[in-house]
Amino acid sequence: MKHLIHRFRLPVSVRSVCTPALCLLLAVAGLLAFRGRSESVSARTENRCLPIYCVNTDKPKVSVSFDAAWGNEDTATLLSILSDHNVKTTFFMTGGWVESYPDDVRAIAAAGHDLGNHSENHKQMSTLSAAECREELQQVHDKVKELTGRDMTLFRPPYGDYNDTLIETANDMGYHVIQWDVDSLDWKDYGAEAIVSKVLDHPHLGNGSIILMHNGAKYTKDALDELLTGLTEKGYEIVPISQLIYTENYEMDHEGRQSVKEQ
């Protein structure tokens, strides 16, 4: 409650003429305004904040996402395969990657894929203060904005590591924090067939799933064509995360599954 009082503290010129009744009305209005905003963007469950792991939907839609933190040798190939399948995905990029490969960032944007924030320095962000978290997100945001003219709204924490401070800070900056419920394990370099089977046979794969991949993993480019074909044959439409998640008036369950908030 203390932070709400501070947020809506009246200027001296108003307080000096404010009657008790008017003060009460203004305070209530302020709290309702704050509550309305927080309900539209907050990822808080009853006990803690959670990122979005998947989405509760009856529509057979899934999202494929790529984390881009190291290397760009295969990015053009991935974009070509995605284009061949007429599929749009989401790329979560670190600040270092954006700075090293600006042409790739522009190519991803030009192809119509989501641009996602993966922090400036790929740190364990649960160890950072709110101010440090904000700086990690803002630096990448500004770089991508300068390159593409786009304001990013999706953020994936490095290593999947998060706490309430990080999620609350990201939400306050207009970001939706995104995890995954299907890990391709492409980063383990088991081979293309292992990636395909891991995803297509994953017990969590279903409507609203978010699939984790990496643009720089050794066999990802070799697996992608068969993986996209397999998802389509299973009846899934592959959409970017921005078209899968709910961006307002939603709620989260204890597993990080996002649903439309019941009225």
Side-chain angles (χ1 to χ4, degrees):
M1 181 62 72
K2 184 177 180 181
H3 71 282
L4 295 179
I5 294 172
H6 176 75
R7 180 184 288 267
F8 293 102
R9 191 175 183 185
L10 297 171
V12 173
S13 60
V14 176
R15 294 202 308 269
S16 63
V17 297
C18 191
T19 65
L22 180 57
C23 285
L24 178 60
L25 287 173
L26 289 171
V28 170
L31 288 171
L32 287 175
F34 179 85
R35 183 182 177 190
R37 178 181 181 278
S38 65
E39 285 184 347
S40 68
V41 301
S42 176
R44 177 169 287 280
T45 63
E46 183 177 351
N47 299 316
R48 59 182 177 139
C49 293
L50 285 176
I52 299 168
Y53 282 83
C54 55
V55 176
N56 185 18
T57 177
D58 293 331
K59 298 177 180 179
K61 294 183 177 183
V62 297
S63 289
V64 173
S65 61
F66 298 92
D67 286 1
W70 300 277
N72 78 324
E73 294 80 6
D74 299 333
T75 305
T77 301
L78 295 174
L79 290 176
S80 178
I81 296 170
L82 292 168
S83 177
D84 289 343
H85 285 262
N86 194 28
V87 162
K88 307 300 182 187
T89 61
T90 305
F91 285 79
F92 290 97
M93 307 168 293
T94 65
W97 197 87
V98 170
E99 193 167 323
S100 296
Y101 309 113
D103 289 342
D104 284 356
V105 178
R106 295 188 189 98
I108 292 168
H113 301 287
D114 281 348
L115 302 174
N117 194 324
H118 199 36
S119 83
E120 177 67 18
N121 297 298
H122 209 269
K123 295 181 177 179
Q124 297 276 167
M125 293 185 70
S126 67
T127 67
L128 305 182
S129 68
E132 290 169 328
C133 289
R134 181 176 292 273
E135 184 177 4
E136 281 285 318
L137 272 68
Q138 191 65 52
Q139 288 185 64
V140 193
H141 189 103
D142 292 343
K143 290 177 181 178
V144 171
K145 175 76 170 181
E146 183 177 355
L147 285 171
T148 68
R150 290 195 194 178
D151 286 306
M152 295 185 294
T153 60
L154 304 173
F155 165 63
R156 174 168 285 159
Y159 312 107
D161 176 52
Y162 65 90
N163 60 5
D164 284 7
T165 298
L166 174 59
I167 295 180
E168 288 170 348
T169 300
N171 288 166
D172 189 56
M173 295 175 69
Y175 275 98
H176 299 280
V177 184
I178 308 296
Q179 294 279 75
W180 61 87
D181 66 329
V182 176
D183 188 347
S184 69
L185 298 182
D186 59 349
W187 52 275
K188 289 193 172 184
D189 295 343
Y190 289 153
E193 288 302 319
I195 295 171
V196 173
S197 62
K198 185 64 178 178
V199 173
L200 297 183
D201 299 330
H202 200 286
H204 290 162
L205 180 65
N207 295 355
S209 281
I210 297 174
I211 300 164
L212 171 66
M213 304 186 79
H214 298 79
N215 78 305
K218 185 175 181 179
Y219 297 105
T220 301
K221 71 179 186 305
D222 302 317
L224 186 58
D225 180 76
E226 186 177 350
L227 174 60
L228 297 177
T229 299
L231 289 170
T232 302
E233 289 177 347
K234 282 179 171 285
Y236 294 114
E237 179 185 1
I238 305 165
V239 299
I241 291 172
S242 63
Q243 295 180 23
L244 182 72
I245 66 171
Y246 307 112
T247 57
E248 59 182 13
N249 298 323
Y250 65 81
E251 58 190 3
M252 308 284 291
D253 70 11
H254 67 285
E255 294 181 332
R257 185 179 299 274
Q258 186 194 41
S259 302
V260 174
K261 189 162 189 175
E262 296 182 4
Q263 301 298 320

